[in-house]
């Protein structure tokens, strides 16, 4: 866990989502890379210009972004509360950069690959998953990440690609998909294609993770709900379970951290806290986030909210 209470996988997912949202709004030819300024103190998923010049750096080792000369704090917790699009706008509003929504069409292929990277990390949620750029650019080393590249049989046409920016080479286009430190494949950021370690095509590597159904008693059979744009009566009924609970008053500034730690433990271990206030606080947080963003739970998040509601109901009867 980081100091924010989020796992490395959760931060990685957020970073790729936010990066895609930034690409939709920033002018210019931009490329994705990993930068490690401060002698490796920082681990930044970055947008780089062709000169090259780092335009935006999202620090995965902390909770801030550097955009131009401006430091923007609390980006990961904001990403949890308000989703990637609003967090990207928040970062841009702190800078002097011009926001241009027409770039969504211009950068659509790269934006799509960023979203797919986020989905891939989510699919590996019980393991440490990290896409790593195959071009190293830090204080002491600049050049191809040989230790990553030598684990994969790379197509000749990938090696023939012109570099994305000055002083780099074709390897700067490639991101290694690493799981527990081992390379399982490569993604070509220029084309969006992916390969396995043996060089064979890696199909559907970005497919959205579909969680297995949660086991329930015979009295309460499993049900499935499709993603929704507006709240159903079912989800509203769950949120009403914390209608008289004020999570801000109970947990103060720690509410977001506590809520996300609760989610991470449930996501990894399918376990909820023993303390009923922690459960109510987590549901209250999801309720307030939905209220502020007009984005209601879907997929795995929906199953999580249902689990919180079911547990509150169970405790009230006990």
């Amino acid at each position: 866990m980081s100091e924010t209470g989020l796992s490395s996988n959760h931060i990685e997912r957020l970073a790729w989502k936010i990066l895609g949202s930034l690409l939709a709004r920033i002018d210019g030819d931009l490329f994705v890379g990993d930068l490690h300024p401060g002698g490796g103190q920082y681990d930044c998923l970055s947008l780089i210009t062709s000169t090259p010049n780092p335009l935006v750096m999202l620090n995965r080792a902390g909770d801030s972004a550097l955009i131009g000369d401006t430091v923007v704090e609390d980006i990961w917790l904001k990403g949890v509360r308000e989703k990637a699009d609003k967090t990207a706008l928040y970062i841009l509003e702190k800078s002097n950069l011009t926001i241009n929504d027409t770039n969504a069409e211009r950068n659509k292929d790269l934006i799509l690959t960023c979203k797919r990277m986020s989905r891939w990390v989510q699919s590996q949620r019980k393991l440490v998953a990290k896409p790593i750029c195959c071009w190293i650019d830090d204080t002491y080393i600049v050049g191809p990440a040989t230790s990553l590249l030598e684990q994969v049989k790379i197509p000749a046409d990938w090696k023939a690609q012109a570099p994305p920016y000055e002083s780099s080479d074709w390897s700067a286009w490639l991101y290694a998909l690493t799981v527990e430190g081992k390379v399982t494949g490569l993604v070509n950021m220029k084309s969006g294609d992916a390969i396995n370690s043996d060089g064979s095509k890696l199909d559907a590597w970005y497919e959205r993770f579909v969680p297995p159904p949660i086991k329930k008693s015979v009295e309460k059979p499993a049900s499935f709900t499709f993603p929704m744009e507006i709240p159903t009566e079912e989800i509203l009924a769950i949120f009403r379970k914390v209608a008289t609970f004020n999570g801000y008053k109970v947990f103060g500034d720690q509410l977001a951290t506590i809520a996300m730690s609760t989610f991470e433990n449930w996501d990894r271990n399918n376990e909820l806290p023993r303390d009923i206030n922690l459960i109510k606080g987590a549901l209250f947080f999801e309720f307030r986030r939905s209220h502020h963003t007009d984005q209601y739970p879907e997929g795995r998040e929906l199953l999580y909210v249902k689990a919180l509601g079911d547990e509150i109901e169970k405790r009230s009867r006990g």
Side-chain angles (χ1 to χ4, degrees), residues 265-309:
N265 189 47
W266 176 86
D267 192 41
R268 287 174 176 269
N269 306 312
N270 199 28
E271 294 179 354
L272 292 174
R274 293 183 179 180
D275 188 334
I276 187 62
N277 278 345
L278 291 177
I279 298 173
K280 288 182 177 180
L283 184 59
F284 176 84
F285 178 83
E286 296 300 326
F287 161 61
R288 297 307 300 170
R289 179 167 66 175
S290 295
H291 175 75
H292 286 299
T293 64
D294 290 325
Q295 296 180 7
Y296 291 87
E298 60 181 61
R300 184 110 180 124
E301 291 178 353
L302 179 58
L303 293 179
Y304 169 62
V305 167
K306 287 182 177 180
L308 293 172

Side-chain angles (χ1 to χ4, degrees), residues 27-136:
D27 275 325
D29 292 323
L30 298 172
F31 309 94
V32 180
D34 287 342
L35 299 177
H36 304 89
Q41 180 180 356
Y42 304 98
D43 174 23
C44 301
L45 184 63
S46 307
L47 291 179
I48 304 169
T49 67
S50 59
T51 39
N53 180 50
L55 191 64
V56 181
M57 294 192 288
L58 308 177
N59 182 24
R60 293 168 293 200
D63 191 24
S64 65
L66 180 65
I67 180 164
D69 296 325
T70 303
V71 176
V72 184
E73 303 286 355
D74 301 325
I75 60 170
W76 306 132
L77 290 181
K78 192 169 187 67
V80 168
R81 296 186 189 107
E82 299 184 359
K83 304 296 185 179
D85 282 344
K86 287 193 175 182
T87 304
L89 286 172
Y90 168 74
I91 292 171
L92 288 171
E93 286 167 358
K94 296 288 185 178
S95 75
N96 294 320
L97 294 181
T98 301
I99 299 175
N100 185 350
D101 289 334
T102 63
N103 264 23
E105 178 62 25
R106 176 181 180 178
N107 293 327
K108 64 179 181 179
D109 292 338
L110 187 54
I111 293 169
L112 180 59
T113 301
C114 288
K115 291 180 179 179
R116 289 172 171 176
M117 283 291 202
S118 180
R119 291 178 186 175
W120 176 79
V121 174
Q122 184 180 20
S123 73
Q124 308 293 328
R125 72 189 193 285
K126 291 187 179 296
L127 302 168
V128 177
K130 187 177 179 68
I132 303 176
C133 186
C134 292
W135 178 263
I136 301 172

